[in-house]
Amino acid sequence: MCQVDEEYHDQLERTDVLRGCFKEYFIHKFRAMLGKNRIIFPGEKVLLAVSGGPSSCSMLSQVQEGLSQKAHKKLRFFPGIVYIDEGGAIGQSTEERQRTVSELEVVFKATGFPFHILPLEQVLDLPSSVVVMALPPLEQPPSAYKAAVDRFNQTCGSDCLTPPEKQKKSLPDVHESHTQLLQQLIGSAKTLTAREDLLNTLRQHLLVYTARTEGYSKLMLGDNCTRLAIKLLTSISLGRGAQLAQDTGFSDSRYGDIIAVRPMRDYSAKEIAHYNHMFDVPSVLIPSLETKTSEKASIRGLTESFVTKLQTDFPSTVSTIYRTSEKLQTVCRSSSTDDHSDRCLLCLCVLDTAVEKASAFQATLISEQVSQTLSLGPGIPRQNSGPERPASAASAGQCRSLSGGEDCGRATSGGSCCSSAKETINLKSLLCYSCRLTIRDMSSVDHLPLYIMSEAQRRQRRSQMRDEISEFLLNDEV
């Protein structure tokens, strides 16, 4: 295989032989990534998350190439496309959003795959089951993949991989009130870093919900090597060290029934740009939260600037960081309860806050409490002194959601107060360390979607109920 270096790239435009060699190399790398991991079984439905950028559009082109009649070894899954329109979150007008959707519809219709175009505003109406880990499928033995391939070739073959033409869903009408609520939610985050993290969380929730409702078992993402290297360093800076294996690995099974895969993780951004340019792979330029901001406006922007500049002088920078991410593993702890309360409410990763007292996390909490106490002054009483103080610490029978009106009556009847799920102090015990930082940067958690607050309230009620009957429960070790 040819060495893809600077001199080689300069010759690609002039030599048809090298162009063909580069195309075979590019396609082979995509097929090898899927074939090596053997996570996508024949006949499965795979949802391709396409953002319109070069990497995700190149991924779409590779899937289209693998399902074409001239492909040597065809892919054996049924693809679908989903695009999340985030124009409302960044303040785009209706005309700008419709123009972007129209450009992407042309690209999607050319593939012949079923596609779904969804506005991010739909995340406000999701059910609370989105932030609950579903039961994962049964673990298959190593021989199951080969048996599935043989069964697929005998019963179906390549003829039934023709996608249905009827499942095409364009951008539905969006109410102005939903757009305003979404903008208030994103705008409640004080820093650009928190806004980006919050937007990414909402996007993931909507992608997982779409995959579940449309019957897809796999979610294919377009993260490339360069982006994952930046994401790895950014995640460490944001306190997501315990979640690096899920955030940067090939597969991510945090959602249980839906497994996210990253088949483009072996490609650099430069390789993708060359391939798209030489073989006319279309992409759409879409603005984001970072558009027209300085490189120091967010942690991600600063990390991206650092990595790209270092890559210019030291070409092995991205590959070294990326290869390091391949060696990372997370020790998975089994859930102790049926409601998976040991998982983060937002990112659904295993909580990294259940640690011993003599730990760096507890030292950070103590340092934060001391800083808050000193900032209040010696004569001012301290509020929210406990990082995970339960909601039951408030006076019994009083509703904290009303400043002077009537009581909701739930506290006196044995239930939780109607506002207990809206307090940031109560959300902390349900979040990982990184998501705690995001919520802390929000001016108010009242703007969070209802499905998040409902699940938080449900988990707190179950936790309170478990504490009340703890004396009657058998020890797990018995």
Side-chain angles (χ1 to χ4, degrees):
M1 189 59 63
C2 297
Q3 179 67 28
V4 184
D5 53 14
E6 292 290 341
E7 182 180 358
Y8 177 68
H9 278 304
D10 294 338
Q11 298 175 1
L12 289 176
E13 298 292 339
R14 302 189 299 267
T15 309
D16 293 337
V17 177
L18 292 181
R19 284 167 56 91
C21 180
F22 178 65
K23 185 175 182 179
E24 292 180 4
Y25 152 80
F26 200 90
I27 295 175
H28 172 75
K29 187 184 287 190
F30 184 84
R31 305 280 186 84
M33 178 62 71
L34 294 178
K36 178 178 63 175
N37 292 276
R38 293 189 174 185
I39 292 180
I40 301 178
F41 275 59
E44 280 191 305
K45 296 181 64 178
V46 180
L47 186 62
L48 280 62
V50 179
S51 64
S55 184
S56 61
C57 287
S58 181
M59 178 185 69
L60 177 60
S61 174
Q62 291 305 302
V63 174
Q64 188 178 5
E65 180 78 19
L67 293 174
S68 62
Q69 295 295 332
K70 60 181 180 180
H72 176 59
K73 290 184 178 181
K74 293 186 178 181
L75 300 177
R76 303 185 182 92
F77 57 82
F78 298 93
I81 307 172
V82 60
Y83 167 70
I84 306 298
D85 176 24
E86 303 172 4
I90 61 177
Q92 282 188 317
S93 63
T94 305
E95 292 76 14
E96 292 174 333
R97 299 176 67 179
Q98 289 293 345
R99 190 183 310 116
T100 301
V101 169
S102 300
E103 294 178 10
L104 287 171
E105 278 187 337
V106 175
V107 177
F108 296 162
K109 289 180 180 179
T111 63
F113 302 153
F115 62 87
H116 313 272
I117 299 179
L118 308 173
L120 188 61
E121 286 85 345
Q122 287 192 3
V123 79
L124 301 175
D125 299 325
L126 295 183
S128 58
S129 59
V130 175
V131 289
V132 178
M133 179 181 176
L135 292 177
L138 298 178
E139 186 175 355
Q140 299 288 344
S143 60
Y145 184 84
K146 186 178 184 303
V149 172
D150 297 336
R151 185 168 56 254
F152 178 82
N153 293 332
Q154 294 175 1
T155 59
C156 187
S158 59
D159 296 335
C160 49
L161 288 177
T162 303
E165 294 288 340
K166 60 180 181 179
Q167 298 181 6
K168 295 182 179 180
K169 298 183 180 180
S170 300
L171 182 67
D173 295 333
V174 181
H175 296 287
E176 184 66 24
S177 59
H178 282 66
T179 304
Q180 293 178 357
L181 290 176
L182 179 63
Q183 292 177 351
Q184 291 176 0
L185 171 59
I186 302 299
S188 63
K190 302 176 184 178
T191 62
L192 181 58
T193 300
R195 287 195 291 269
E196 289 177 343
D197 191 56
L198 185 60
L199 181 61
N200 179 69
T201 299
L202 297 177
R203 184 195 308 119
Q204 287 297 118
H205 290 175
L206 187 55
L207 288 175
V208 172
Y209 174 75
T210 304
R212 286 175 177 172
T213 54
E214 298 296 335
Y216 294 91
S217 57
K218 301 294 187 298
L219 179 63
M220 191 174 288
L221 306 176
D223 296 331
N224 56 56
C225 174
T226 307
R227 185 184 303 174
L228 290 177
I230 298 171
K231 189 175 184 179
L232 185 143
L233 296 182
T234 304
S235 298
I236 294 177
S237 302
L238 295 176
R240 294 191 60 84
Q243 294 85 12
L244 286 179
Q246 291 92 342
D247 291 342
T248 62
F250 173 78
S251 63
D252 184 359
S253 58
R254 73 180 73 179
Y255 308 105
D257 56 338
I258 305 297
I259 299 179
V261 295
R262 301 180 179 92
M264 303 295 292
R265 67 190 307 265
D266 264 357
Y267 298 94
S268 66
K270 191 172 185 178
E271 281 181 299
I272 294 174
H274 277 287
Y275 182 87
N276 292 354
H277 173 68
M278 286 188 295
F279 301 103
D280 299 326
V281 177
S283 60
V284 180
L285 182 61
I286 302 176
S288 63
L289 288 175
E290 283 189 328
T291 303
K292 295 183 179 181
T293 60
S294 65
E295 62 182 28
K296 299 181 181 179
S298 66
I299 294 179
R300 184 195 174 280
L302 188 60
T303 305
E304 181 178 5
S305 175
F306 169 75
V307 172
T308 52
K309 290 179 180 179
L310 196 61
Q311 175 74 10
T312 304
D313 298 330
F314 304 94
S316 61
T317 299
V318 170
S319 61
T320 301
I321 300 174
Y322 165 71
R323 296 304 175 188
T324 303
S325 68
E326 288 186 327
K327 304 174 184 178
L328 298 176
Q329 293 182 355
T330 300
V331 179
C332 298
R333 296 184 291 108
S334 59
S335 299
S336 57
T337 57
D338 295 336
D339 60 343
H340 300 283
S341 58
D342 59 345
R343 291 188 172 269
C344 178
L345 180 64
L346 295 182
C347 67
L348 269 72
C349 288
V350 177
L351 289 177
D352 55 356
T353 56
V355 295
E356 300 177 355
K357 293 183 178 180
S359 62
F361 172 71
Q362 294 295 339
T364 302
L365 293 182
I366 295 175
S367 178
E368 180 182 349
Q369 294 175 22
V370 173
S371 300
Q372 291 177 353
T373 304
L374 295 177
S375 62
L376 291 176
I380 303 177
R382 184 176 62 181
Q383 296 179 354
N384 299 342
S385 57
E388 299 182 7
R389 187 178 178 182
S392 58
S395 56
Q398 293 183 355
C399 177
R400 293 180 297 274
S401 64
L402 301 176
S403 57
E406 295 182 358
D407 190 285
C408 67
R410 295 185 184 178
T412 55
S413 60
S416 299
C417 176
C418 64
S419 65
S420 60
K422 291 186 178 181
E423 295 186 5
T424 307
I425 188 174
N426 294 325
L427 287 177
K428 282 187 177 181
S429 61
L430 307 175
L431 302 175
C432 65
Y433 177 73
S434 178
C435 292
R436 288 187 182 191
L437 300 180
T438 302
I439 295 298
R440 191 180 64 180
D441 284 342
M442 295 181 62
S443 59
S444 174
V445 297
D446 294 339
H447 299 298
L448 287 175
L450 181 61
Y451 71 94
I452 295 179
M453 307 309 296
S454 299
E455 176 62 18
Q457 189 176 28
R458 187 190 71 85
R459 291 190 185 185
Q460 288 178 352
R461 287 178 176 177
R462 290 182 66 90
S463 178
Q464 292 174 4
M465 180 181 65
R466 185 178 183 85
D467 292 339
E468 293 175 358
I469 63 175
S470 59
E471 297 181 358
F472 307 97
L473 296 177
L474 295 177
N475 194 337
D476 296 338
E477 299 179 355
V478 177

